[in-house]
Amino acid sequence: MNLSSFKEIALKYKVIFFDAYGVLRTHKGILPGVKEMLGFLAENDIAFYILTNDASRSPELLAKVYQEADIDEINEQKIISSGMLAREYIQNKVQKGRIVYLGTEASAHYIEHEGLNTVSIKDLDLDNCQDISALILLDDEGYDWNVDLNKTLNLLRKQAIPVIVANTDVTYPVTKKDVAISVGAVGNMLEVLARKTFIRFGKPDSQIFSFAYEYCTKEHAVTKNDILMVGDSLATDIIGGNKFGFDTCLVLTGNILPDNYDLMIQSLGIIPDYICESVAT
Amino acid sequence: MNLSSFKEIALKYKVIFFDAYGVLRTHKGILPGVKEMLGFLAENDIAFYILTNDASRSPELLAKVYQEADIDEINEQKIISSGMLAREYIQNKVQKGRIVYLGTEASAHYIEHEGLNTVSIKDLDLDNCQDISALILLDDEGYDWNVDLNKTLNLLRKQAIPVIVANTDVTYPVTKKDVAISVGAVGNMLEVLARKTFIRFGKPDSQIFSFAYEYCTKEHAVTKNDILMVGDSLATDIIGGNKFGFDTCLVLTGNILPDNYDLMIQSLGIIPDYICESVAT
Amino acid sequence: MNLSSFKEIALKYKVIFFDAYGVLRTHKGILPGVKEMLGFLAENDIAFYILTNDASRSPELLAKVYQEADIDEINEQKIISSGMLAREYIQNKVQKGRIVYLGTEASAHYIEHEGLNTVSIKDLDLDNCQDISALILLDDEGYDWNVDLNKTLNLLRKQAIPVIVANTDVTYPVTKKDVAISVGAVGNMLEVLARKTFIRFGKPDSQIFSFAYEYCTKEHAVTKNDILMVGDSLATDIIGGNKFGFDTCLVLTGNILPDNYDLMIQSLGIIPDYICESVAT
Amino acid sequence: MNLSSFKEIALKYKVIFFDAYGVLRTHKGILPGVKEMLGFLAENDIAFYILTNDASRSPELLAKVYQEADIDEINEQKIISSGMLAREYIQNKVQKGRIVYLGTEASAHYIEHEGLNTVSIKDLDLDNCQDISALILLDDEGYDWNVDLNKTLNLLRKQAIPVIVANTDVTYPVTKKDVAISVGAVGNMLEVLARKTFIRFGKPDSQIFSFAYEYCTKEHAVTKNDILMVGDSLATDIIGGNKFGFDTCLVLTGNILPDNYDLMIQSLGIIPDYICESVAT
């Protein structure tokens, strides 16, 4: 497949969904040209949102990173995170009791709402857990894996409760070469050990696309054909966007490098509608 | 959990989504009381739809089974099948070439539309497959597994194309005791062998719930809280409905028997909002 | 890693275990230089055996292919097949009843012995299966997948019996480009559907190496350090040989091509002691 | 199946292999009657060994637990641990460089031998790891999971090295009701994340049975038919023993309780030759 100019493609759509990491930013900061590109979208009346598998921080805090880099186009209303789906689930389906979370206090933001108590796994007393009504995995930080993953497993052996994994990613990049294990991988391990079926939110699962679609149709009169999903990962952004019925655009600033995108597309059989070197092109 | 009366529960909702098999019918025919129950819904202005993991026949043919049993309340407009999602995918994402299908001619209904050619795997010539643009698994019947599953695998080794599995079930009941292997299980085997990522439509994946929700909001002014999902299977109907944000009701006329529903709920950690002996209660 | 001369390496060992397919033969016949190489081994008093994941034919029939190509060095005593382990299991652990097999009559050779009756899945009557004491998967041919895999699954739902998969391979090559689905893949599908734990024999599982080691130490006074395992597949021959404690040699005439063996070794982390272009070098 | 007297069964064999946990001891200490039973074996010239998936401590330390309970029949020569297979692998296949281990210093006992240096993952400097030649997972203790599992994953992304998991268990009991996550489960998570194939030692894999068989035939003139494997777990001890060709005996003092052994045998299809309430019967 040939490379296209991102701006030329963008002009065909009314709304653009961006993945965050590898598309707008990397471990080194905001990618070059992102501010200009967002200005171009504004000039041409093209709306945009950011779809991110991130439940470690509130949309407000996630937006702050961009604002500190002088990109005021991105505020919390622009951000749709997998944590927001977990919050919706909790609000709809958990009416009472305490919710145990794996994550930092910043991540617990997603599950705090009226009438529900939350408790970090690190503070849970297993001898006093009859009122626990749900378990939610938000972040890989904020608790001691050696101690608290055992505690989590034993909680699931005692109580029949729904388990929500608010981030489907299994790793995330921390430097140019190194990665960290994400809470999605921790969830996969615990699900096998506990012999339960966990509920997962995040790309490529279609519910985050459905959530984003409903979210943006409240502000814009669009159909699926008016929306372009832009991502750096075939196995999350592109296949998920394709399946939900959006057009899709792969960019080569993250997971997939310019010299092997063709091989990856061939070997996975996941085919984007467009490929661009970056969103700045 | 205690058993409830289905009719009492139904009165709390504006729309009800029913699973078909194990809820409205079994291998022996329509379950007793279904016609009366649908009359009760009509009297009380409660709408309903059937959500089924079935891509073997068109909604029209699926509805016929009920009509032949004198249940005229069910017509093709009431039926939402996983095959319809596959059709939507094909219409949105496959613009040219030929589509290969695994299934009967009746199942091929879902993928026939203007400008696209379809070919059964049993008629495909592997030496002449450069124009194949997608593969879709619709039914376990209509082709020779010994010959055509090998052909399918070799097609996927030659061509980088999207693969759609239009039914996520792995088995289906054929008599009181016996089951048959469903095309979902065939898809799982081929996906591992071909080292690709297939696209699956059907419960518990949220896209069929999203599709059904959009479908019914065109006819009724409802929100997720107005909808009840009724099913006989914790691992598809109930967890899928829960995750999408619907209230859920387990019935004991299918997969799960009256004497072990509590054990199943405990061991899987999948918790319905209600449990009823049948939809006739 | 650098390429070595196979004959130079061979001189360091007393016994050599060869994989068959991709090492000594391919779909086109015996590889060039094999006869000469076996002569070289004989001159230098180096014994050899063939270790093959094949339960479709008796060692006698497997040897015939070589003899018809004038390679008289290979007779049935030289061949150790995964079918022989299945036979040993049946002899040790199944004392009565009938054994159902999936395979051709030629494959049933492995399970026929005094006092036991065997029945092909295609001839089994499910209404008369109380005396079935074991199920064994021998070959992908000899039965109708559409009909008989359903029958197999329903047998496993009725009877608690051990299931033996006599070939761990999931595909095998049939032409230069095409493969066929092996009975190992059928076993993987059935195991998930039946929710049982099957017993598998064949590389890379260590039992075939243990069997071969015991077999050859009856004829030769050797230790593990005297034995070289030669194969074309990192994931079966090499890792299995390494794990059992043999030295290992990868040849590039089969699964792994000369231009990407380094990449494969790096990416899998499976490291042979030697690499040779072919056994003829 | 009916329960048998263990002593009556034992008299039919020349060698008995015992699993440790759930058979001879539990979290509360040595099970009642074990000392007497071992005396009975001695009187009747029946040899015994303990086969354990444990690489956290040397055979000497593992034996000490029994000796402190006055059971002098058990010394380090009686103990065959999965750690010993890992040691054999290292000795055979790793000739140079440093070996990284996950575990306590007590577990590192298994990999320390002449000419090789070992380093705990907690002390490894990732910027200085070019000489690392193998990674071995020995115990769940002795390192910080939050920090050191990320370090392990990044090591595997940098270096193509064999990875050995010296304990296949995924959990182990710590109190009557609670379990802890074992290093086997950590290995499963890392293997998926690193996309490598790890080498595992421990029941049910046949290599520990092969090792034990070879070990005991050096001291006793026996064949497989003279050996009985006794365990509390169908999925490790019994299926592993069956597959290797030993007779097997399930005891009900550990994993499987007296009131559901029949259900477990039916549902898993793993069938022991005998069932006893305990080894004291």
Side-chain angles (χ1 to χ4, degrees), chain C residues 218-238:
Chain C
K218 283 179 189 153
E219 302 183 29
H220 308 279
V222 293
T223 68
K224 287 184 182 182
N225 295 325
D226 298 318
I227 298 175
L228 179 70
M229 173 74 216
V230 183
D232 72 319
S233 159
L234 289 169
T236 56
D237 308 310
I238 304 304

Side-chain angles (χ1 to χ4, degrees), chain B residues 59-222:
Chain B
E60 199 183 340
L61 287 176
L62 290 170
K64 220 173 167 183
V65 177
Y66 299 95
Q67 290 164 0
E68 284 171 359
D70 238 13
I71 302 190
D72 300 318
E73 290 85 352
I74 297 178
N75 56 43
E76 66 175 303
Q77 270 77 39
K78 293 294 189 194
I79 295 193
I80 294 164
S81 78
S82 52
M84 293 163 69
L85 281 88
R87 177 170 57 200
E88 191 187 53
Y89 178 89
I90 297 286
Q91 286 173 347
N92 274 330
K93 306 295 295 185
V94 183
Q95 259 74 53
K96 55 176 190 196
R98 281 186 301 158
I99 301 178
V100 177
Y101 68 91
L102 273 64
T104 61
E105 280 181 42
S107 68
H109 151 88
Y110 282 112
I111 53 168
E112 278 155 1
H113 67 281
E114 258 178 70
L116 277 178
N117 292 310
T118 62
V119 56
S120 167
I121 186 71
K122 72 177 192 292
D123 299 322
L124 179 71
D125 174 7
L126 267 189
D127 290 330
N128 184 12
C129 67
Q130 300 81 345
D131 63 332
I132 301 300
S133 53
L135 171 71
I136 181 160
L137 281 65
L138 293 164
D139 197 2
D140 55 291
E141 299 184 350
Y143 50 100
D144 180 337
W145 288 25
N146 293 59
V147 172
D148 294 325
L149 296 186
N150 286 334
K151 208 197 266 186
T152 307
L153 177 58
N154 286 309
L155 170 64
L156 294 178
R157 290 163 54 94
K158 283 178 216 296
Q159 291 276 104
I161 50 176
V163 182
I164 300 99
V165 184
N167 179 349
T168 46
D169 291 349
V170 292
T171 59
Y172 59 96
V174 288
T175 67
K176 195 176 172 189
K177 289 195 171 168
D178 287 353
V179 299
I181 299 172
S182 179
V183 75
V186 172
N188 291 346
M189 178 175 71
L190 289 170
E191 189 178 35
V192 171
L193 297 177
R195 299 177 199 197
K196 307 281 179 184
T197 306
F198 290 3
I199 292 173
R200 283 181 176 73
F201 293 113
K203 298 169 287 178
D205 181 74
S206 49
Q207 196 153 335
I208 194 168
F209 296 100
S210 162
F211 184 94
Y213 182 52
E214 218 187 315
Y215 187 95
C216 93
T217 51
K218 282 180 189 152
E219 302 183 30
H220 309 279
V222 292

Side-chain angles (χ1 to χ4, degrees), chain D residues 147-165:
Chain D
V147 172
D148 295 324
L149 296 187
N150 285 333
K151 207 196 268 185
T152 306
L153 177 58
N154 287 308
L155 170 64
L156 294 178
R157 291 163 54 95
K158 284 178 216 293
Q159 291 278 103
I161 50 176
V163 181
I164 299 98
V165 184

Side-chain angles (χ1 to χ4, degrees), chain C residues 88-89 92-93 160-162 195-201 205-207 210 213-214 224-225 239 242-248 265-271 273, chain D residues 88-89 92-93 160-162 195-201 205-207 210 213-214 224-225 239 242-248 265-271 273:
Chain C
E88 190 188 52
Y89 177 89
N92 273 331
K93 305 295 295 185
I161 50 177
R195 297 175 201 199
K196 307 279 179 186
T197 305
F198 290 3
I199 292 173
R200 284 183 176 71
F201 293 114
D205 181 74
S206 49
Q207 197 153 336
S210 161
Y213 182 52
E214 217 186 317
K224 287 184 182 182
N225 295 325
I239 198 171
N242 278 351
K243 180 179 167 187
F244 195 70
F246 297 148
D247 281 356
T248 53
I265 289 170
Q266 290 295 317
S267 83
L268 291 175
I270 302 171
I271 305 159
D273 294 289
Chain D
E88 190 188 53
Y89 177 90
N92 274 330
K93 306 295 294 185
I161 50 176
R195 298 176 200 197
K196 307 280 180 186
T197 305
F198 291 3
I199 292 172
R200 284 181 176 72
F201 293 114
D205 181 74
S206 49
Q207 196 154 336
S210 162
Y213 182 51
E214 216 187 317
K224 286 184 183 182
N225 295 324
I239 199 172
N242 278 350
K243 180 179 166 185
F244 195 69
F246 297 148
D247 282 355
T248 52
I265 289 170
Q266 291 295 317
S267 83
L268 291 173
I270 301 170
I271 304 159
D273 294 289

Side-chain angles (χ1 to χ4, degrees), chain C residues 35-228:
Chain C
K35 192 175 168 59
E36 291 71 8
M37 181 272 295
L38 294 176
F40 174 84
L41 296 187
E43 283 165 30
N44 290 281
D45 277 327
I46 301 166
F48 76 92
Y49 298 89
I50 297 174
L51 265 68
T52 180
N53 284 358
D54 198 329
S56 70
R57 255 155 301 193
S58 66
E60 198 182 341
L61 286 176
L62 290 170
K64 219 172 167 185
V65 176
Y66 299 95
Q67 289 163 1
E68 284 171 359
D70 239 13
I71 303 191
D72 301 317
E73 290 84 352
I74 298 178
N75 56 43
E76 65 174 303
Q77 271 77 41
K78 294 294 189 194
I79 295 192
I80 294 164
S81 78
S82 51
M84 293 163 69
L85 281 87
R87 177 169 56 200
E88 190 188 52
Y89 177 89
I90 297 286
Q91 286 173 347
N92 273 331
K93 305 295 295 185
V94 183
Q95 259 73 53
K96 56 176 189 197
R98 282 186 299 159
I99 301 177
V100 176
Y101 66 92
L102 274 64
T104 60
E105 280 182 42
S107 67
H109 151 89
Y110 282 112
I111 53 169
E112 279 156 359
H113 66 281
E114 257 179 70
L116 277 178
N117 292 311
T118 62
V119 56
S120 167
I121 186 71
K122 73 176 192 292
D123 300 322
L124 180 70
D125 174 6
L126 267 190
D127 290 329
N128 185 11
C129 67
Q130 299 81 346
D131 64 330
I132 301 301
S133 54
L135 171 72
I136 181 159
L137 281 66
L138 292 164
D139 197 2
D140 56 290
E141 299 184 349
Y143 51 99
D144 180 337
W145 287 25
N146 293 59
V147 172
D148 294 326
L149 296 186
N150 286 333
K151 208 196 267 186
T152 307
L153 177 58
N154 286 309
L155 169 64
L156 294 178
R157 289 162 55 94
K158 285 179 216 292
Q159 292 277 104
I161 50 177
V163 181
I164 299 99
V165 184
N167 179 349
T168 46
D169 290 349
V170 292
T171 59
Y172 59 95
V174 288
T175 67
K176 194 176 173 191
K177 288 195 172 171
D178 289 351
V179 299
I181 298 171
S182 180
V183 76
V186 172
N188 292 346
M189 178 176 70
L190 289 170
E191 188 178 36
V192 171
L193 296 176
R195 297 175 201 199
K196 307 279 179 186
T197 305
F198 290 3
I199 292 173
R200 284 183 176 71
F201 293 114
K203 298 170 285 179
D205 181 74
S206 49
Q207 197 153 336
I208 193 168
F209 295 99
S210 161
F211 184 94
Y213 182 52
E214 217 186 317
Y215 187 95
C216 93
T217 51
K218 283 179 189 153
E219 302 183 29
H220 308 279
V222 293
T223 68
K224 287 184 182 182
N225 295 325
D226 298 318
I227 298 175
L228 179 70

